[in-house]
Amino acid sequence: MVDMETLASLCKRRGIIFQSSEIYGGINGFWDYGPVGTELRRRIKETWWRNMVQWRENVVGLDTTIIAHPRTWEASGHLQSFSDPMVDCKQCKRRFRADELAEGAQVCPECGGALTALRQFNLMFQTHVGAAVDAASIAYLRPETCQSIFTQFRNVLGTSRMKVPFGIAQIGKAFRNEITPRNFIFRSREFEQMEMEFFCHPDDSRQWHEYWVSERLAWFRSVGIRATSLRIRFHAADELAHYAKACSDIEFEMPFGWSEMEGIADRSTYDLTQHSTHSGTPLEYFDQETNSRFVPAVVETSVGVDRTLLAILVDAYREEEVRGETRVLLALHPTIAPVQVAVLPLSQKLGDVALPLAQDLRREFATEFDVAGSIGRRYRRQDEIGTPFCVTYDFQSNEDHAVTVRHRDSMQQDRMAIGQVQQYLREHLTTALVQS
Ligand code: GAP
């Protein structure tokens, strides 16, 4: 399996992920996406949205603000309990999460210095809204996207024509002042979540929980992650979050061990009840069929975009020996590949005649046109960013109006008429899309 250092170096070399503010020495726990990474990220979000919203009758979308009324976080329980236990080293001033040190540790694992007593550290980032900087103007950057789905439940219910059971989905940034951000983009301080809150009758939540676990596992498979890299872990009663009645994680085997990718939780009626009590606005559902009123239970699916992207990269990374050289490739599923097809004229002289083909393909597929450098180097670059197809325009193409299509994984090359390329790619790429 690829190690994080090798992967991070590939990501930097190929414009997938950069350290944030690198020219100022970086800022711990923050990462930027380069041109290739931005496309990959966008595609992951698109497939999630298609699968979770567009293709379902019973899920609608929402897009809410990063800063919400501060009382939101009182009601959700984050102000009181969204914290990690922290200790500092009195000597080297390093900061640790107490639950990551050996039990009862009193001495710094880095320098042997004495540790402070344990303190609870709230992970929410604070800011102030308005001109006054005082206690009354404190606000928080959201640590999860779902709370506004609960606070907007009534508005969505009243405007969308949805009936329970139904879901509300959202993709957006979340912020946590993690004490020890680590493992590249796995745990960062600014990240993006894709969450869906499914509102159902409390008697049915167990069944919906099972349903969503299997749907979400199928989605990870549909973006190309191998079944052997995934597993489901049920939470024991003593590790459940304060809001959850049951929780199952979808875990992925990272180079540093099996790790949580997504949490699927039965949150019961906790959230709507809390917001109802704190705001004084009833958050209930009136079922016309049974002529009864109830507070819906919530089954949540919550996954990080960045963690998913990391899992996809780890799973797709391959090294192969080809004629005495190591070929590195990302065997990305065509649905999420940042570049779907690269048009590569064999020589710079063929650039002008090959360009119209790239322009035609660009309308339908994510296309790169690259004329500079040896063809071997250009193939290497496309392999390393996971481009499924390269189309090579050579000197003979001018005569026979045919090009060579090279497959990333097998390196097999098929010669075909230029007029057939679009249909050929459509069959290979669009079929993959429909299945994902
Ligand atoms: N609304 C429920 C919730 O936020 P969570 O388990 O705290 O639950 C859900 O987070 C998902 O968000 C995680 O499974 C992970 O994919 C992602 N995530 C959480 N903290 C993260 C961090 N610091 N960096 C990157 N992704 C994170």
Side-chain angles (χ1 to χ4, degrees):
M1 193 188 292
V2 62
D3 60 77
M4 277 298 138
E5 220 169 291
T6 307
L7 193 65
S9 128
L10 169 72
C11 284
K12 177 158 188 205
R13 190 167 72 244
R14 293 304 185 193
I16 302 174
I17 301 167
F18 306 129
Q19 200 181 12
S20 168
S21 323
E22 192 189 88
I23 61 169
Y24 291 106
I27 169 164
N28 199 8
F30 296 88
W31 299 91
D32 290 340
Y33 288 83
V36 173
T38 302
E39 286 299 323
L40 179 55
R41 218 161 174 279
R42 225 169 46 80
R43 279 171 194 283
I44 292 170
K45 291 194 274 185
E46 275 169 10
T47 64
W48 186 88
W49 195 264
R50 216 170 31 237
N51 183 295
M52 294 295 283
V53 184
Q54 189 186 328
W55 289 350
R56 295 180 194 271
E57 302 285 343
N58 56 355
V59 180
V60 289
L62 191 66
D63 196 340
T64 66
T65 57
I66 284 167
I67 294 176
H69 194 291
R71 290 195 56 205
T72 306
W73 310 109
E74 240 172 75
S76 69
H78 282 81
L79 262 178
Q80 302 85 320
S81 53
F82 192 59
S83 49
D84 279 339
M86 177 184 80
V87 291
D88 289 312
C89 172
K90 289 180 186 164
Q91 198 165 300
C92 71
K93 311 290 180 209
R94 280 197 180 84
R95 184 158 278 185
F96 303 97
R97 256 172 72 165
D99 56 347
E100 287 177 353
L101 297 178
E103 212 177 312
Q106 292 180 336
V107 177
C108 172
E110 298 290 335
C111 76
L115 298 174
T116 59
L118 184 150
R119 277 177 297 151
Q120 288 298 330
F121 176 75
N122 195 295
L123 301 185
M124 283 197 294
F125 280 101
Q126 270 190 24
T127 186
H128 292 271
V129 173
V133 177
D134 56 21
S137 66
I138 292 178
Y140 303 90
L141 306 192
R142 66 181 175 200
E144 57 178 14
T145 59
C146 63
Q147 291 304 325
S148 309
I149 295 182
F150 305 134
T151 56
Q152 291 292 6
F153 172 73
R154 245 167 77 108
N155 278 334
V156 175
L157 194 62
T159 55
S160 66
R161 313 196 60 72
M162 285 285 135
K163 288 190 172 132
V164 168
F166 79 101
I168 305 178
Q170 169 158 234
I171 300 179
K173 288 267 183 159
F175 302 80
R176 297 183 189 180
N177 198 0
E178 300 280 358
I179 298 170
T180 48
R182 61 163 66 159
N183 290 326
F184 198 22
I185 55 170
F186 181 80
R187 186 189 295 151
S188 46
R189 289 178 166 141
E190 175 174 341
F191 54 97
E192 200 155 10
Q193 289 186 317
M194 304 186 281
E195 297 198 300
M196 193 279 306
E197 310 299 318
F198 195 76
F199 300 89
C200 61
H201 192 281
D203 292 348
D204 302 335
S205 67
R206 199 191 170 124
Q207 164 200 334
W208 282 114
H209 186 234
E210 278 170 25
Y211 170 83
W212 284 111
V213 171
S214 95
E215 288 289 291
R216 295 301 305 140
L217 194 62
W219 180 78
F220 277 103
R221 297 279 296 116
S222 78
V223 291
I225 299 185
R226 292 171 288 198
T228 48
S229 307
L230 294 165
R231 72 177 188 194
I232 293 172
R233 192 177 72 79
F234 297 96
H235 283 217
D238 62 356
E239 58 172 327
L240 288 174
H242 61 275
Y243 52 75
K245 197 165 113 186
C247 188
S248 308
D249 286 346
I250 296 180
E251 293 189 333
F252 175 83
E253 191 172 19
M254 284 284 177
F256 44 87
W258 285 95
S259 312
E260 175 191 334
M261 285 293 111
E262 168 152 356
I264 300 145
D266 179 347
R267 300 177 69 117
S268 70
T269 55
Y270 179 84
D271 305 284
L272 291 183
T273 307
Q274 283 294 105
H275 285 298
S276 195
T277 311
H278 282 252
S279 66
T281 305
L283 298 173
E284 297 172 330
Y285 179 70
F286 179 69
D287 187 343
Q288 285 175 335
E289 262 170 60
T290 57
N291 201 25
S292 64
R293 203 172 278 284
F294 61 90
V295 177
V298 170
V299 173
E300 170 184 78
T301 73
S302 175
V303 61
V305 176
D306 315 83
R307 251 182 222 190
T308 303
L309 188 143
L310 184 61
I312 284 171
L313 292 178
V314 167
D315 204 60
Y317 186 92
R318 312 263 190 284
E319 283 183 12
E320 293 175 1
E321 289 306 311
V322 180
R323 285 177 238 101
E325 276 190 34
T326 307
R327 177 170 91 110
V328 171
L329 73 144
L330 293 181
L332 294 176
H333 193 280
T335 310
I336 50 163
V339 176
Q340 293 173 305
V341 55
V343 176
L344 311 174
L346 194 62
S347 143
Q348 292 236 0
K349 288 183 202 136
L350 296 167
D352 288 347
V353 277
L355 185 61
L357 172 60
Q359 283 169 333
D360 277 353
L361 296 179
R362 197 177 281 290
R363 289 170 205 270
E364 199 171 345
F365 312 107
T367 305
E368 201 166 278
F369 183 68
D370 187 5
V371 285
S374 80
I375 190 73
R377 282 181 60 153
R378 282 181 279 159
Y379 280 151
R380 247 192 324 275
R381 170 182 154 75
Q382 297 302 335
D383 285 344
E384 289 193 2
I385 62 171
T387 307
F389 297 102
C390 288
V391 176
T392 313
Y393 192 106
D394 54 30
F395 287 101
Q396 213 188 323
S397 305
N398 283 340
E399 317 290 317
D400 64 2
H401 304 291
V403 285
T404 304
V405 176
R406 173 188 180 269
H407 295 241
R408 176 196 65 205
D409 298 346
S410 62
M411 290 192 290
Q412 181 195 320
Q413 306 207 2
D414 294 331
R415 189 92 185 159
M416 68 188 69
I418 291 174
Q420 279 176 5
V421 174
Q422 200 145 350
Q423 183 56 25
Y424 181 88
L425 292 175
R426 206 174 281 149
E427 273 163 25
H428 284 77
L429 295 168
T430 319
T431 312
L433 186 92
V434 169
Q435 284 165 354
S436 71

